[in-house]
């Protein structure tokens, strides 16, 4: 359904993203994890064709959606795709909602635009979708303004807008970061149910490894603009090969009654302007050798997984 290969993104001379690859089938959920600044949102923006808005451009690689190459797609064609067959859910619902317009018309608009429905048909569809998203009294909600709703409700409306065009793929960029913890869990469960009910493909961007473990089929671990390890969730969580993935998994708090130990990762994430030479993780890596500081590790493939490390392997 969606295949990204060797994606590279540049802003002028700086290249904050390089060598990002992953593939997503119908009905699958792919998690993209990594610390702040690792390139998760840039990856999402690339898929959505929204990079030019921030002055970035794709300098290498390909993005193929349903057999169609997206990196060379014209803007009008992209506009039909975006919000149509590929929906975006952002971190802050207010980037997608118009504060001055009632909820109903905002959601209706999507089906009018992308499915060619009449206003009346679109409203019936809006009410139905709001109902599926477990929004109480959907017809009444249509008459409300965004500021009359809680954060969690607003995010459900954004999800409704993304669903209104009957997409094949949803890209959710940290959809719950702005919400409180109990609401976060509800929204994640809702997305998970939608994927199953509608056979959707979901790209779920998060910094939370436990969310990935619970909801995703595949995972891409990002570090300093590189996909340093990717593969099926079972394989990656069962036997992570990259020291950074191992450290991230070590940070997941265990359940009550177990030894609660948070293994913080010492050191800080490099920024675009000081990406280390060689392996970007070498200043923080407990396993680093001389070659790690000079040579960038290539991806080594094993089954459906791949890892970029000179000395991959399970923790000693
Ligand atoms: N418009 C831009 N111009 C130049 N550099 C940018 C631009 N947008 C992002 N970057 C750089 O690209 C890198 C990756 O940014 P990105 O937003 O993808 O990170 P992220 O993984 O989504 O982080 P977060 O978890 O904080 O959302 C960052 O180092 C950032 O400084
Ligand atoms: S390449 Fe070297 S520094 Fe990088 S993760 Fe592997 S062992 Fe660590
Ligand atoms: Mg981001």
């Amino acid at each position: 359904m969606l295949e990204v290969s060797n994606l590279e993104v540049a802003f002028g001379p700086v290249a904050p993203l390089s060598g990002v690859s992953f593939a997503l089938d119908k009905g699958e959920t792919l998690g993209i994890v990594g610390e702040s600044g690792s390139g998760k949102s840039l990856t999402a923006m690339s898929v959505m064709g929204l990079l030019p808005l921030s002055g970035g451009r794709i300098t290498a690689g390909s993005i193929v959606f349903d057999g169609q190459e997206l990196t060379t797609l014209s803007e009008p064609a992209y506009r039909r795709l975006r919000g149509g067959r590929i929906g975006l859910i952002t971190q802050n619902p207010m980037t997608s909602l118009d504060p001055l317009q009632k909820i109903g018309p905002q959601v209706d608009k999507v089906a009018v635009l992308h499915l060619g429905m009449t206003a009346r048909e679109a409203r019936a569809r809006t009410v139905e979708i709001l109902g599926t998203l477990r929004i109480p009294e959907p017809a009444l909600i249509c008459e409300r303004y965004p500021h009359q709703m809680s954060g969690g409700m607003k995010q459900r409306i954004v999800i409704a807008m993304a669903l209104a065009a009957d997409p094949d793929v949803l890209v959710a960029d940290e959809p719950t970061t702005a919400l409180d913890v109990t609401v976060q869990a509800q929204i994640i469960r809702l997305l998970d149910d939608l994927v199953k009910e509608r056979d959707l493909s979901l790209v779920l961007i998060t910094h939370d490894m436990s969310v990935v473990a619970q909801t995703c089929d595949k995972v891409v671990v990002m570090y300093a603009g590189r996909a340093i390890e990717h593969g099926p969730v079972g394989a990656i969580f069962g036997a992570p090969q990259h020291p950074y993935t191992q450290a991230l998994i070590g940070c997941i708090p265990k359940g009550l009654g177990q030894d609660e130990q948070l293994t913080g990762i010492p050191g800080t994430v490099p920024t675009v302007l000081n990406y280390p030479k060689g392996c970007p993780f070498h200043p923080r890596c407990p396993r680093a050798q001389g070659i790690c500081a000079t040579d960038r590790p290539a991806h080594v493939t094993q089954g459906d997984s791949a890892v970029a490390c000179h000395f991959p392997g399970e923790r000693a």
Side-chain angles (χ1 to χ4, degrees):
M1 181 56 57
L2 182 67
E3 187 163 7
V4 172
S5 330
N6 254 314
L7 185 67
E8 183 181 297
V9 166
F11 293 88
V14 278
L17 205 68
S18 71
V20 175
S21 305
F22 57 84
L24 181 62
D25 285 331
K26 209 167 164 50
E28 275 187 339
T29 298
L30 171 99
I32 301 183
V33 285
E35 288 165 284
S36 188
S38 58
K40 305 183 297 295
S41 295
L42 284 182
T43 306
M45 292 303 114
S46 304
V47 171
M48 300 304 298
L50 293 171
L51 271 182
L53 289 182
S54 56
R57 68 195 176 89
I58 294 172
T59 43
S62 80
I63 303 172
V64 176
F65 166 69
D66 201 14
Q68 191 177 23
E69 175 60 55
L70 298 188
T71 53
T72 51
L73 202 64
S74 71
E75 178 53 26
Y78 232 128
R79 256 198 304 269
R80 279 193 297 277
L81 206 65
R82 198 187 299 138
R85 296 191 63 197
I86 308 183
L88 177 68
I89 300 165
T90 53
Q91 177 176 335
N92 177 357
M94 289 318 289
T95 52
S96 309
L97 294 175
D98 177 351
L100 302 176
Q101 208 183 14
K102 287 180 181 170
I103 296 301
Q106 299 198 46
V107 184
D108 299 349
K109 203 162 58 187
V110 179
V112 171
L113 201 70
H114 289 279
L115 302 179
M117 285 188 173
T118 64
R120 185 187 287 262
E121 288 165 343
R123 176 54 58 91
R125 183 175 169 81
T126 297
V127 169
E128 188 207 310
I129 292 175
L130 296 184
T132 343
L133 297 181
R134 293 168 218 140
I135 294 173
E137 306 198 77
L140 264 177
I141 291 290
C142 286
E143 301 304 318
R144 297 252 173 91
Y145 289 92
H147 71 87
Q148 296 171 304
M149 314 179 82
S150 68
M153 269 308 157
K154 279 188 283 218
Q155 195 57 301
R156 276 169 208 249
I157 302 296
V158 173
I159 296 172
M161 286 171 72
L163 288 176
D166 206 12
D168 300 301
V169 177
L170 279 185
V171 178
D173 189 357
E174 309 214 35
T176 63
T177 313
L179 308 171
D180 66 54
V181 181
T182 44
V183 183
Q184 282 185 8
Q186 287 166 10
I187 297 284
I188 294 292
R189 211 172 313 124
L190 190 63
L191 286 171
D192 199 29
D193 291 347
L194 286 171
V195 167
K196 296 199 173 85
E197 284 160 20
R198 296 175 175 243
D199 208 20
L200 277 170
S201 305
L202 173 67
V203 178
L204 182 62
I205 296 178
T206 173
H207 50 253
D208 190 337
M209 283 299 258
S210 52
V211 165
V212 173
Q214 284 158 25
T215 56
C216 298
D217 303 297
K218 291 175 175 171
V219 59
V220 179
V221 182
M222 304 274 306
Y223 188 81
R226 305 254 298 163
I228 52 103
E229 187 162 16
H230 64 95
V233 160
I236 302 290
F237 281 79
Q241 302 292 306
H242 196 286
Y244 178 64
T245 314
Q246 288 160 359
L248 278 184
I249 293 173
C251 289
I252 302 176
K254 303 282 190 304
L256 282 176
Q258 283 179 283
D259 226 358
E260 190 134 334
Q261 194 185 24
L262 290 175
T263 331
I265 307 173
T268 49
V269 197
T271 68
V272 182
L273 299 173
N274 64 2
Y275 276 174
K277 244 176 81 85
C279 170
F281 191 55
H282 85 260
R284 297 168 81 185
C285 182
R287 209 184 283 168
Q289 305 282 322
I291 188 180
C292 301
T294 51
D295 293 18
R296 180 162 272 206
H299 281 95
V300 180
T301 309
Q302 194 183 38
D304 290 332
S305 306
V307 59
C309 173
H310 291 301
F311 307 102
E314 291 186 53
R315 213 193 303 235

